[in-house]
Amino acid sequence: MKEKILIVEDNPLNMRLIEMILRTKSYTLLKATNVEEAVEVAVREQPDIIILDIQLPDVSGLEVARRLKEALAFSHIPIIAVTAYAMKGDKERIIEAGCDAYLSKPINTRELPRTVAGMLLRRPKNRAEPTSTQIYYD
Ligand code: MN
Protein backbone atom coordinates (compact mmCIF):
# COMPACT_ATOMS: atom_id res chain seq x y z
CA MET A 1 0.00 0.00 0.00
CA LYS A 2 1.32 3.42 -0.98
CA GLU A 3 2.17 5.77 1.83
CA LYS A 4 0.08 8.92 1.97
CA ILE A 5 1.66 12.30 2.41
CA LEU A 6 -0.42 15.37 3.11
CA ILE A 7 1.18 18.62 1.94
CA VAL A 8 -0.21 21.77 3.58
CA GLU A 9 1.09 24.77 1.63
CA ASP A 10 -0.65 27.94 0.44
CA ASN A 11 1.97 29.03 -2.08
CA PRO A 12 1.34 27.31 -5.45
CA LEU A 13 5.00 27.42 -6.46
CA ASN A 14 6.17 25.80 -3.24
CA MET A 15 3.37 23.24 -3.54
CA ARG A 16 4.55 22.37 -7.06
CA LEU A 17 8.14 22.12 -5.88
CA ILE A 18 7.31 19.77 -3.01
CA GLU A 19 5.16 17.66 -5.33
CA MET A 20 7.99 17.46 -7.85
CA ILE A 21 10.50 16.45 -5.19
CA LEU A 22 8.28 13.68 -3.84
CA ARG A 23 6.77 12.52 -7.14
CA THR A 24 9.71 10.25 -7.93
CA LYS A 25 8.88 8.14 -4.87
CA SER A 26 5.69 6.13 -5.01
CA TYR A 27 3.73 8.12 -2.45
CA THR A 28 0.13 9.17 -2.69
CA LEU A 29 0.25 12.97 -2.40
CA LEU A 30 -2.67 14.79 -0.80
CA LYS A 31 -2.88 18.57 -0.79
CA ALA A 32 -4.39 21.30 1.34
CA THR A 33 -3.95 25.07 1.14
CA ASN A 34 -5.49 26.22 4.44
CA VAL A 35 -6.04 24.99 7.97
CA GLU A 36 -9.68 23.88 7.58
CA GLU A 37 -8.84 21.84 4.52
CA ALA A 38 -5.75 20.42 6.23
CA VAL A 39 -7.69 19.20 9.26
CA GLU A 40 -10.49 17.78 7.11
CA VAL A 41 -8.17 15.85 4.78
CA ALA A 42 -5.97 14.67 7.67
CA VAL A 43 -8.91 13.27 9.63
CA ARG A 44 -10.48 11.65 6.57
CA GLU A 45 -7.35 10.21 4.95
CA GLN A 46 -5.15 9.54 8.01
CA PRO A 47 -1.94 10.28 6.08
CA ASP A 48 1.37 8.70 7.10
CA ILE A 49 3.10 12.09 7.26
CA ILE A 50 2.05 15.73 7.13
CA ILE A 51 4.31 18.39 5.61
CA LEU A 52 3.19 21.71 7.07
CA ASP A 53 4.07 25.20 5.85
CA ILE A 54 4.28 27.35 8.97
CA GLN A 55 3.29 30.54 7.11
CA LEU A 56 -0.35 30.02 6.15
CA PRO A 57 -2.99 32.71 5.66
CA ASP A 58 -5.24 33.65 8.61
CA VAL A 59 -3.88 31.23 11.18
CA SER A 60 -0.32 30.89 12.47
CA GLY A 61 1.41 27.66 11.59
CA LEU A 62 1.91 26.83 15.23
CA GLU A 63 -1.84 27.05 15.73
CA VAL A 64 -2.32 24.83 12.68
CA ALA A 65 0.05 22.25 14.18
CA ARG A 66 -1.89 22.32 17.45
CA ARG A 67 -5.21 21.93 15.65
CA LEU A 68 -3.89 19.04 13.59
CA LYS A 69 -2.51 17.29 16.68
CA GLU A 70 -5.81 17.84 18.47
CA ALA A 71 -7.86 16.49 15.54
CA LEU A 72 -5.57 13.49 15.18
CA ALA A 73 -5.16 12.86 18.90
CA PHE A 74 -4.91 9.09 18.71
CA SER A 75 -3.15 8.53 15.42
CA HIS A 76 0.26 10.15 16.08
CA ILE A 77 0.85 11.25 12.51
CA PRO A 78 4.26 12.91 12.30
CA ILE A 79 4.34 16.55 11.18
CA ILE A 80 7.29 18.04 9.32
CA ALA A 81 7.18 21.83 9.68
CA VAL A 82 8.62 23.97 6.89
CA THR A 83 9.31 27.63 7.53
CA ALA A 84 11.10 30.57 5.94
CA TYR A 85 11.52 32.50 9.17
CA ALA A 86 13.93 30.59 11.32
CA MET A 87 14.60 32.88 14.22
CA LYS A 88 16.09 32.04 17.57
CA GLY A 89 13.63 29.97 19.56
CA ASP A 90 11.47 29.15 16.52
CA LYS A 91 12.54 25.54 16.38
CA GLU A 92 11.66 25.05 20.04
CA ARG A 93 8.26 26.69 19.56
CA ILE A 94 7.54 24.53 16.51
CA ILE A 95 8.46 21.31 18.31
CA GLU A 96 6.50 22.44 21.36
CA ALA A 97 3.42 22.93 19.14
CA GLY A 98 3.57 19.24 18.30
CA CYS A 99 5.69 19.07 15.15
CA ASP A 100 8.16 16.21 14.91
CA ALA A 101 10.72 17.73 12.57
CA TYR A 102 11.64 21.11 11.23
CA LEU A 103 13.03 22.17 7.86
CA SER A 104 13.86 25.72 6.81
CA LYS A 105 12.98 27.24 3.44
CA PRO A 106 14.14 27.38 0.70
CA ILE A 107 13.15 23.73 0.48
CA ASN A 108 16.16 21.50 0.06
CA THR A 109 15.50 18.91 -2.65
CA ARG A 110 17.56 16.25 -0.87
CA GLU A 111 16.79 17.01 2.74
CA LEU A 112 13.00 16.87 2.34
CA PRO A 113 12.75 13.36 0.81
CA ARG A 114 15.38 12.12 3.25
CA THR A 115 13.41 13.45 6.23
CA VAL A 116 10.18 11.95 4.87
CA ALA A 117 11.78 8.55 4.22
CA GLY A 118 13.44 8.53 7.64
CA MET A 119 10.16 9.21 9.38
CA LEU A 120 8.32 6.54 7.44
CA LEU A 121 10.99 4.01 8.46
CA ARG A 122 10.61 4.87 12.12
CA ARG A 123 6.87 4.16 12.20
CA PRO A 124 5.68 0.99 13.88
CA LYS A 125 5.04 -1.59 11.19
CA ASN A 126 1.56 -2.29 9.83
CA ARG A 127 -0.11 0.52 11.69
CA ALA A 128 -1.55 1.87 8.47
CA GLU A 129 -3.57 -1.29 7.87
CA PRO A 130 -5.08 -2.56 11.10
CA THR A 131 -7.61 -5.35 10.83
CA SER A 132 -10.66 -5.76 13.01
CA THR A 133 -8.93 -8.45 15.06
CA GLN A 134 -5.91 -6.34 15.90
CA ILE A 135 -5.70 -3.75 18.62
CA TYR A 136 -2.85 -1.29 18.73
CA TYR A 137 -1.57 0.39 21.83
CA ASP A 138 0.77 3.30 21.38
MN1 MN B 1 2.93 29.94 3.11
Side-chain angles (χ1 to χ4, degrees):
M1 194 177 150
K2 279 194 191 179
E3 281 129 339
K4 290 187 219 173
I5 306 194
L6 170 59
I7 308 163
V8 185
E9 169 65 77
D10 65 309
N11 180 306
L13 289 177
N14 282 333
M15 179 66 94
R16 284 246 304 277
L17 175 64
I18 297 171
E19 278 186 279
M20 272 170 54
I21 293 170
L22 296 176
R23 203 161 46 196
T24 53
K25 324 280 176 205
S26 59
Y27 302 135
T28 299
L29 300 180
L30 309 164
K31 297 186 278 183
T33 56
N34 59 56
V35 60
E36 287 78 17
E37 211 182 352
V39 170
E40 188 212 300
V41 176
V43 168
R44 190 182 62 222
E45 300 285 341
Q46 299 284 311
D48 296 283
I49 285 190
I50 298 169
I51 297 172
L52 172 66
D53 170 30
I54 288 296
Q55 282 80 41
L56 288 171
D58 309 325
V59 186
S60 99
L62 299 183
E63 181 58 30
V64 176
R66 279 184 212 106
R67 279 167 68 173
L68 278 168
K69 281 288 168 182
E70 209 175 81
L72 300 166
F74 300 103
S75 37
H76 307 292
I77 298 169
I79 299 177
I80 301 173
V82 183
T83 177
Y85 313 121
M87 290 187 291
K88 201 169 182 287
D90 276 3
K91 187 173 181 176
E92 289 69 22
R93 275 191 286 275
I94 286 167
I95 299 298
E96 213 173 83
C99 297
D100 304 90
Y102 163 96
L103 297 176
S104 53
K105 284 184 178 178
I107 292 157
N108 182 309
T109 55
R110 274 180 235 189
E111 195 181 23
L112 178 66
R114 201 163 50 212
T115 305
V116 168
M119 284 198 152
L120 288 174
L121 275 178
R122 284 207 303 272
R123 287 176 319 164
K125 285 202 167 55
N126 300 325
R127 195 165 61 197
E129 300 165 85
T131 68
S132 54
T133 55
Q134 291 172 299
I135 300 169
Y136 291 89
Y137 299 98
D138 281 317

